PDB file of all heavy atoms in Angstrom:
ATOM      1  N   ILE A  21     -14.284   6.703 -12.894  1.00  0.00           N
ATOM      2  CA  ILE A  21     -14.813   7.613 -11.886  1.00  0.00           C
ATOM      3  C   ILE A  21     -14.008   8.904 -11.912  1.00  0.00           C
ATOM      4  O   ILE A  21     -12.778   8.866 -11.966  1.00  0.00           O
ATOM      5  CB  ILE A  21     -14.731   6.988 -10.468  1.00  0.00           C
ATOM      6  CG1 ILE A  21     -15.587   5.719 -10.389  1.00  0.00           C
ATOM      7  CG2 ILE A  21     -15.175   7.998  -9.416  1.00  0.00           C
ATOM      8  CD1 ILE A  21     -15.413   4.952  -9.099  1.00  0.00           C
ATOM      9  N   LYS A  22     -14.703  10.020 -11.893  1.00  0.00           N
ATOM     10  CA  LYS A  22     -13.991  11.297 -11.803  1.00  0.00           C
ATOM     11  C   LYS A  22     -14.887  12.333 -11.139  1.00  0.00           C
ATOM     12  O   LYS A  22     -16.112  12.226 -11.153  1.00  0.00           O
ATOM     13  CB  LYS A  22     -13.558  11.773 -13.183  1.00  0.00           C
ATOM     14  CG  LYS A  22     -14.704  12.111 -14.130  1.00  0.00           C
ATOM     15  CD  LYS A  22     -14.152  12.642 -15.446  1.00  0.00           C
ATOM     16  CE  LYS A  22     -15.294  13.012 -16.393  1.00  0.00           C
ATOM     17  NZ  LYS A  22     -14.785  13.568 -17.671  1.00  0.00           N
ATOM     18  N   HIS A  23     -14.253  13.362 -10.547  1.00  0.00           N
ATOM     19  CA  HIS A  23     -15.005  14.446  -9.936  1.00  0.00           C
ATOM     20  C   HIS A  23     -15.646  15.316 -11.019  1.00  0.00           C
ATOM     21  O   HIS A  23     -15.170  15.340 -12.156  1.00  0.00           O
ATOM     22  CB  HIS A  23     -14.087  15.312  -9.066  1.00  0.00           C
ATOM     23  CG  HIS A  23     -13.702  14.671  -7.771  1.00  0.00           C
ATOM     24  ND1 HIS A  23     -12.747  13.673  -7.711  1.00  0.00           N
ATOM     25  CD2 HIS A  23     -14.124  14.879  -6.502  1.00  0.00           C
ATOM     26  CE1 HIS A  23     -12.600  13.288  -6.452  1.00  0.00           C
ATOM     27  NE2 HIS A  23     -13.428  14.007  -5.692  1.00  0.00           N
ATOM     28  N   HIS A  24     -16.703  16.018 -10.639  1.00  0.00           N
ATOM     29  CA  HIS A  24     -17.274  16.995 -11.572  1.00  0.00           C
ATOM     30  C   HIS A  24     -16.230  18.088 -11.827  1.00  0.00           C
ATOM     31  O   HIS A  24     -15.330  18.302 -11.014  1.00  0.00           O
ATOM     32  CB  HIS A  24     -18.547  17.608 -10.993  1.00  0.00           C
ATOM     33  CG  HIS A  24     -18.373  18.193  -9.627  1.00  0.00           C
ATOM     34  ND1 HIS A  24     -18.529  17.448  -8.477  1.00  0.00           N
ATOM     35  CD2 HIS A  24     -18.016  19.432  -9.224  1.00  0.00           C
ATOM     36  CE1 HIS A  24     -18.293  18.208  -7.427  1.00  0.00           C
ATOM     37  NE2 HIS A  24     -17.974  19.414  -7.848  1.00  0.00           N
ATOM     38  N   SER A  25     -16.404  18.807 -12.935  1.00  0.00           N
ATOM     39  CA  SER A  25     -15.390  19.794 -13.298  1.00  0.00           C
ATOM     40  C   SER A  25     -15.416  20.987 -12.347  1.00  0.00           C
ATOM     41  O   SER A  25     -16.445  21.325 -11.765  1.00  0.00           O
ATOM     42  CB  SER A  25     -15.624  20.287 -14.735  1.00  0.00           C
ATOM     43  OG  SER A  25     -16.788  21.090 -14.804  1.00  0.00           O
ATOM     44  N   TYR A  26     -14.262  21.620 -12.215  1.00  0.00           N
ATOM     45  CA  TYR A  26     -14.141  22.814 -11.377  1.00  0.00           C
ATOM     46  C   TYR A  26     -15.065  23.918 -11.900  1.00  0.00           C
ATOM     47  O   TYR A  26     -15.738  24.612 -11.131  1.00  0.00           O
ATOM     48  CB  TYR A  26     -12.688  23.290 -11.368  1.00  0.00           C
ATOM     49  CG  TYR A  26     -12.492  24.634 -10.711  1.00  0.00           C
ATOM     50  CD1 TYR A  26     -12.505  24.764  -9.335  1.00  0.00           C
ATOM     51  CD2 TYR A  26     -12.300  25.784 -11.489  1.00  0.00           C
ATOM     52  CE1 TYR A  26     -12.336  25.994  -8.731  1.00  0.00           C
ATOM     53  CE2 TYR A  26     -12.131  27.025 -10.893  1.00  0.00           C
ATOM     54  CZ  TYR A  26     -12.152  27.125  -9.513  1.00  0.00           C
ATOM     55  OH  TYR A  26     -11.991  28.348  -8.914  1.00  0.00           O
ATOM     56  N   LYS A  27     -15.102  24.078 -13.218  1.00  0.00           N
ATOM     57  CA  LYS A  27     -15.939  25.126 -13.823  1.00  0.00           C
ATOM     58  C   LYS A  27     -17.413  24.887 -13.499  1.00  0.00           C
ATOM     59  O   LYS A  27     -18.165  25.812 -13.218  1.00  0.00           O
ATOM     60  CB  LYS A  27     -15.719  25.140 -15.338  1.00  0.00           C
ATOM     61  CG  LYS A  27     -16.405  26.292 -16.055  1.00  0.00           C
ATOM     62  CD  LYS A  27     -16.091  26.283 -17.555  1.00  0.00           C
ATOM     63  CE  LYS A  27     -14.627  26.554 -17.807  1.00  0.00           C
ATOM     64  NZ  LYS A  27     -14.327  26.697 -19.260  1.00  0.00           N
ATOM     65  N   GLU A  28     -17.827  23.620 -13.534  1.00  0.00           N
ATOM     66  CA  GLU A  28     -19.202  23.243 -13.241  1.00  0.00           C
ATOM     67  C   GLU A  28     -19.555  23.595 -11.795  1.00  0.00           C
ATOM     68  O   GLU A  28     -20.634  24.126 -11.500  1.00  0.00           O
ATOM     69  CB  GLU A  28     -19.381  21.744 -13.487  1.00  0.00           C
ATOM     70  CG  GLU A  28     -20.812  21.248 -13.407  1.00  0.00           C
ATOM     71  CD  GLU A  28     -20.889  19.755 -13.663  1.00  0.00           C
ATOM     72  OE1 GLU A  28     -19.871  19.049 -13.456  1.00  0.00           O
ATOM     73  OE2 GLU A  28     -21.958  19.300 -14.080  1.00  0.00           O
ATOM     74  N   GLU A  29     -18.637  23.333 -10.890  1.00  0.00           N
ATOM     75  CA  GLU A  29     -18.875  23.619  -9.474  1.00  0.00           C
ATOM     76  C   GLU A  29     -18.958  25.123  -9.222  1.00  0.00           C
ATOM     77  O   GLU A  29     -19.859  25.601  -8.528  1.00  0.00           O
ATOM     78  CB  GLU A  29     -17.773  23.010  -8.624  1.00  0.00           C
ATOM     79  CG  GLU A  29     -17.987  23.236  -7.122  1.00  0.00           C
ATOM     80  CD  GLU A  29     -16.882  22.611  -6.299  1.00  0.00           C
ATOM     81  OE1 GLU A  29     -15.711  22.820  -6.660  1.00  0.00           O
ATOM     82  OE2 GLU A  29     -17.188  21.925  -5.314  1.00  0.00           O
ATOM     83  N   VAL A  30     -18.036  25.866  -9.802  1.00  0.00           N
ATOM     84  CA  VAL A  30     -18.029  27.322  -9.618  1.00  0.00           C
ATOM     85  C   VAL A  30     -19.318  27.938 -10.151  1.00  0.00           C
ATOM     86  O   VAL A  30     -19.914  28.820  -9.529  1.00  0.00           O
ATOM     87  CB  VAL A  30     -16.799  27.948 -10.314  1.00  0.00           C
ATOM     88  CG1 VAL A  30     -16.916  29.466 -10.359  1.00  0.00           C
ATOM     89  CG2 VAL A  30     -15.525  27.547  -9.589  1.00  0.00           C
ATOM     90  N   LEU A  31     -19.784  27.445 -11.313  1.00  0.00           N
ATOM     91  CA  LEU A  31     -20.994  27.993 -11.912  1.00  0.00           C
ATOM     92  C   LEU A  31     -22.198  27.802 -11.004  1.00  0.00           C
ATOM     93  O   LEU A  31     -23.031  28.709 -10.845  1.00  0.00           O
ATOM     94  CB  LEU A  31     -21.259  27.322 -13.265  1.00  0.00           C
ATOM     95  CG  LEU A  31     -22.518  27.795 -14.020  1.00  0.00           C
ATOM     96  CD1 LEU A  31     -22.419  29.282 -14.334  1.00  0.00           C
ATOM     97  CD2 LEU A  31     -22.715  26.982 -15.292  1.00  0.00           C
ATOM     98  N   SER A  32     -22.276  26.636 -10.369  1.00  0.00           N
ATOM     99  CA  SER A  32     -23.425  26.377  -9.492  1.00  0.00           C
ATOM    100  C   SER A  32     -23.458  27.350  -8.315  1.00  0.00           C
ATOM    101  O   SER A  32     -24.527  27.747  -7.858  1.00  0.00           O
ATOM    102  CB  SER A  32     -23.395  24.931  -8.992  1.00  0.00           C
ATOM    103  OG  SER A  32     -22.324  24.726  -8.076  1.00  0.00           O
ATOM    104  N   TYR A  33     -22.292  27.752  -7.821  1.00  0.00           N
ATOM    105  CA  TYR A  33     -22.253  28.700  -6.705  1.00  0.00           C
ATOM    106  C   TYR A  33     -22.357  30.149  -7.193  1.00  0.00           C
ATOM    107  O   TYR A  33     -22.834  31.029  -6.455  1.00  0.00           O
ATOM    108  CB  TYR A  33     -20.986  28.487  -5.873  1.00  0.00           C
ATOM    109  CG  TYR A  33     -21.041  27.209  -5.076  1.00  0.00           C
ATOM    110  CD1 TYR A  33     -20.345  26.084  -5.500  1.00  0.00           C
ATOM    111  CD2 TYR A  33     -21.818  27.109  -3.935  1.00  0.00           C
ATOM    112  CE1 TYR A  33     -20.412  24.890  -4.793  1.00  0.00           C
ATOM    113  CE2 TYR A  33     -21.899  25.918  -3.220  1.00  0.00           C
ATOM    114  CZ  TYR A  33     -21.189  24.813  -3.654  1.00  0.00           C
ATOM    115  OH  TYR A  33     -21.267  23.641  -2.960  1.00  0.00           O
ATOM    116  N   GLU A  34     -21.960  30.394  -8.428  1.00  0.00           N
ATOM    117  CA  GLU A  34     -22.150  31.728  -9.002  1.00  0.00           C
ATOM    118  C   GLU A  34     -23.636  32.064  -9.091  1.00  0.00           C
ATOM    119  O   GLU A  34     -24.031  33.218  -8.945  1.00  0.00           O
ATOM    120  CB  GLU A  34     -21.518  31.801 -10.399  1.00  0.00           C
ATOM    121  CG  GLU A  34     -20.017  32.051 -10.406  1.00  0.00           C
ATOM    122  CD  GLU A  34     -19.662  33.461  -9.962  1.00  0.00           C
ATOM    123  OE1 GLU A  34     -20.506  34.359 -10.072  1.00  0.00           O
ATOM    124  OE2 GLU A  34     -18.519  33.655  -9.487  1.00  0.00           O
ATOM    125  N   TYR A  35     -24.454  31.045  -9.328  1.00  0.00           N
ATOM    126  CA  TYR A  35     -25.898  31.264  -9.371  1.00  0.00           C
ATOM    127  C   TYR A  35     -26.408  31.795  -8.025  1.00  0.00           C
ATOM    128  O   TYR A  35     -27.328  32.615  -7.976  1.00  0.00           O
ATOM    129  CB  TYR A  35     -26.626  29.968  -9.725  1.00  0.00           C
ATOM    130  CG  TYR A  35     -26.532  29.566 -11.182  1.00  0.00           C
ATOM    131  CD1 TYR A  35     -26.335  28.239 -11.546  1.00  0.00           C
ATOM    132  CD2 TYR A  35     -26.647  30.517 -12.191  1.00  0.00           C
ATOM    133  CE1 TYR A  35     -26.250  27.853 -12.887  1.00  0.00           C
ATOM    134  CE2 TYR A  35     -26.569  30.146 -13.537  1.00  0.00           C
ATOM    135  CZ  TYR A  35     -26.370  28.818 -13.871  1.00  0.00           C
ATOM    136  OH  TYR A  35     -26.292  28.448 -15.185  1.00  0.00           O
ATOM    137  N   ILE A  36     -25.815  31.312  -6.924  1.00  0.00           N
ATOM    138  CA  ILE A  36     -26.201  31.821  -5.606  1.00  0.00           C
ATOM    139  C   ILE A  36     -25.872  33.302  -5.514  1.00  0.00           C
ATOM    140  O   ILE A  36     -26.692  34.117  -5.063  1.00  0.00           O
ATOM    141  CB  ILE A  36     -25.477  31.043  -4.487  1.00  0.00           C
ATOM    142  CG1 ILE A  36     -25.907  29.584  -4.473  1.00  0.00           C
ATOM    143  CG2 ILE A  36     -25.719  31.702  -3.121  1.00  0.00           C
ATOM    144  CD1 ILE A  36     -25.200  28.736  -3.442  1.00  0.00           C
ATOM    145  N   LYS A  37     -24.705  33.660  -5.960  1.00  0.00           N
ATOM    146  CA  LYS A  37     -24.254  35.051  -5.929  1.00  0.00           C
ATOM    147  C   LYS A  37     -25.196  35.964  -6.724  1.00  0.00           C
ATOM    148  O   LYS A  37     -25.380  37.138  -6.398  1.00  0.00           O
ATOM    149  CB  LYS A  37     -22.836  35.125  -6.511  1.00  0.00           C
ATOM    150  CG  LYS A  37     -22.174  36.490  -6.464  1.00  0.00           C
ATOM    151  CD  LYS A  37     -20.765  36.375  -7.014  1.00  0.00           C
ATOM    152  CE  LYS A  37     -20.086  37.718  -7.130  1.00  0.00           C
ATOM    153  NZ  LYS A  37     -18.712  37.585  -7.671  1.00  0.00           N
ATOM    154  N   GLN A  38     -25.812  35.401  -7.763  1.00  0.00           N
ATOM    155  CA  GLN A  38     -26.728  36.174  -8.601  1.00  0.00           C
ATOM    156  C   GLN A  38     -28.172  36.116  -8.115  1.00  0.00           C
ATOM    157  O   GLN A  38     -29.047  36.771  -8.681  1.00  0.00           O
ATOM    158  CB  GLN A  38     -26.663  35.649 -10.045  1.00  0.00           C
ATOM    159  CG  GLN A  38     -25.297  35.796 -10.686  1.00  0.00           C
ATOM    160  CD  GLN A  38     -25.163  34.947 -11.948  1.00  0.00           C
ATOM    161  OE1 GLN A  38     -26.144  34.412 -12.457  1.00  0.00           O
ATOM    162  NE2 GLN A  38     -23.942  34.810 -12.444  1.00  0.00           N
ATOM    163  N   GLY A  39     -28.436  35.324  -7.068  1.00  0.00           N
ATOM    164  CA  GLY A  39     -29.815  35.166  -6.595  1.00  0.00           C
ATOM    165  C   GLY A  39     -30.667  34.393  -7.580  1.00  0.00           C
ATOM    166  O   GLY A  39     -31.872  34.607  -7.677  1.00  0.00           O
ATOM    167  N   ASP A  40     -30.058  33.449  -8.297  1.00  0.00           N
ATOM    168  CA  ASP A  40     -30.729  32.705  -9.361  1.00  0.00           C
ATOM    169  C   ASP A  40     -31.086  31.307  -8.852  1.00  0.00           C
ATOM    170  O   ASP A  40     -30.223  30.572  -8.342  1.00  0.00           O
ATOM    171  CB  ASP A  40     -29.802  32.609 -10.573  1.00  0.00           C
ATOM    172  CG  ASP A  40     -30.526  32.088 -11.812  1.00  0.00           C
ATOM    173  OD1 ASP A  40     -31.501  31.332 -11.680  1.00  0.00           O
ATOM    174  OD2 ASP A  40     -30.088  32.436 -12.919  1.00  0.00           O
ATOM    175  N   MET A  41     -32.363  30.914  -9.033  1.00  0.00           N
ATOM    176  CA  MET A  41     -32.826  29.612  -8.565  1.00  0.00           C
ATOM    177  C   MET A  41     -32.147  28.436  -9.270  1.00  0.00           C
ATOM    178  O   MET A  41     -32.286  27.287  -8.842  1.00  0.00           O
ATOM    179  CB  MET A  41     -34.339  29.497  -8.720  1.00  0.00           C
ATOM    180  CG  MET A  41     -35.107  29.969  -7.502  1.00  0.00           C
ATOM    181  SD  MET A  41     -34.758  28.917  -6.073  1.00  0.00           S
ATOM    182  CE  MET A  41     -35.564  29.854  -4.776  1.00  0.00           C
ATOM    183  N   LYS A  42     -31.425  28.702 -10.345  1.00  0.00           N
ATOM    184  CA  LYS A  42     -30.671  27.618 -10.985  1.00  0.00           C
ATOM    185  C   LYS A  42     -29.650  27.028 -10.013  1.00  0.00           C
ATOM    186  O   LYS A  42     -29.231  25.876 -10.160  1.00  0.00           O
ATOM    187  CB  LYS A  42     -29.949  28.144 -12.224  1.00  0.00           C
ATOM    188  CG  LYS A  42     -30.873  28.506 -13.382  1.00  0.00           C
ATOM    189  CD  LYS A  42     -30.076  29.045 -14.549  1.00  0.00           C
ATOM    190  CE  LYS A  42     -30.985  29.487 -15.691  1.00  0.00           C
ATOM    191  NZ  LYS A  42     -30.221  30.113 -16.786  1.00  0.00           N
ATOM    192  N   ALA A  43     -29.256  27.814  -9.011  1.00  0.00           N
ATOM    193  CA  ALA A  43     -28.306  27.324  -8.012  1.00  0.00           C
ATOM    194  C   ALA A  43     -28.855  26.106  -7.293  1.00  0.00           C
ATOM    195  O   ALA A  43     -28.118  25.158  -6.979  1.00  0.00           O
ATOM    196  CB  ALA A  43     -27.984  28.437  -7.003  1.00  0.00           C
ATOM    197  N   VAL A  44     -30.154  26.123  -7.036  1.00  0.00           N
ATOM    198  CA  VAL A  44     -30.768  24.995  -6.322  1.00  0.00           C
ATOM    199  C   VAL A  44     -30.771  23.757  -7.209  1.00  0.00           C
ATOM    200  O   VAL A  44     -30.376  22.667  -6.790  1.00  0.00           O
ATOM    201  CB  VAL A  44     -32.201  25.364  -5.883  1.00  0.00           C
ATOM    202  CG1 VAL A  44     -32.857  24.180  -5.177  1.00  0.00           C
ATOM    203  CG2 VAL A  44     -32.187  26.579  -4.968  1.00  0.00           C
ATOM    204  N   MET A  45     -31.221  23.930  -8.457  1.00  0.00           N
ATOM    205  CA  MET A  45     -31.293  22.778  -9.359  1.00  0.00           C
ATOM    206  C   MET A  45     -29.907  22.184  -9.627  1.00  0.00           C
ATOM    207  O   MET A  45     -29.712  20.968  -9.577  1.00  0.00           O
ATOM    208  CB  MET A  45     -31.951  23.201 -10.678  1.00  0.00           C
ATOM    209  CG  MET A  45     -33.429  23.565 -10.536  1.00  0.00           C
ATOM    210  SD  MET A  45     -34.226  23.886 -12.126  1.00  0.00           S
ATOM    211  CE  MET A  45     -33.371  25.392 -12.615  1.00  0.00           C
ATOM    212  N   GLU A  46     -28.938  23.059  -9.921  1.00  0.00           N
ATOM    213  CA  GLU A  46     -27.588  22.578 -10.214  1.00  0.00           C
ATOM    214  C   GLU A  46     -26.927  21.988  -8.974  1.00  0.00           C
ATOM    215  O   GLU A  46     -26.266  20.948  -9.023  1.00  0.00           O
ATOM    216  CB  GLU A  46     -26.733  23.730 -10.767  1.00  0.00           C
ATOM    217  CG  GLU A  46     -27.022  24.080 -12.202  1.00  0.00           C
ATOM    218  CD  GLU A  46     -26.745  22.910 -13.136  1.00  0.00           C
ATOM    219  OE1 GLU A  46     -25.591  22.460 -13.206  1.00  0.00           O
ATOM    220  OE2 GLU A  46     -27.701  22.425 -13.761  1.00  0.00           O
ATOM    221  N   GLY A  47     -27.095  22.680  -7.841  1.00  0.00           N
ATOM    222  CA  GLY A  47     -26.494  22.208  -6.597  1.00  0.00           C
ATOM    223  C   GLY A  47     -27.023  20.849  -6.178  1.00  0.00           C
ATOM    224  O   GLY A  47     -26.268  19.961  -5.764  1.00  0.00           O
TER     225      GLY A  47
END
Side-chain angles (χ1 to χ4, degrees):
I21 298 172
K22 65 177 181 178
H23 286 77
H24 54 272
S25 70
Y26 171 77
K27 187 177 294 186
E28 188 180 24
E29 182 180 47
V30 169
L31 180 61
S32 70
Y33 289 102
E34 278 290 336
Y35 285 139
I36 296 178
K37 184 177 174 180
Q38 298 165 11
D40 191 332
M41 270 295 171
K42 290 179 183 175
V44 178
M45 293 186 293
E46 284 299 299

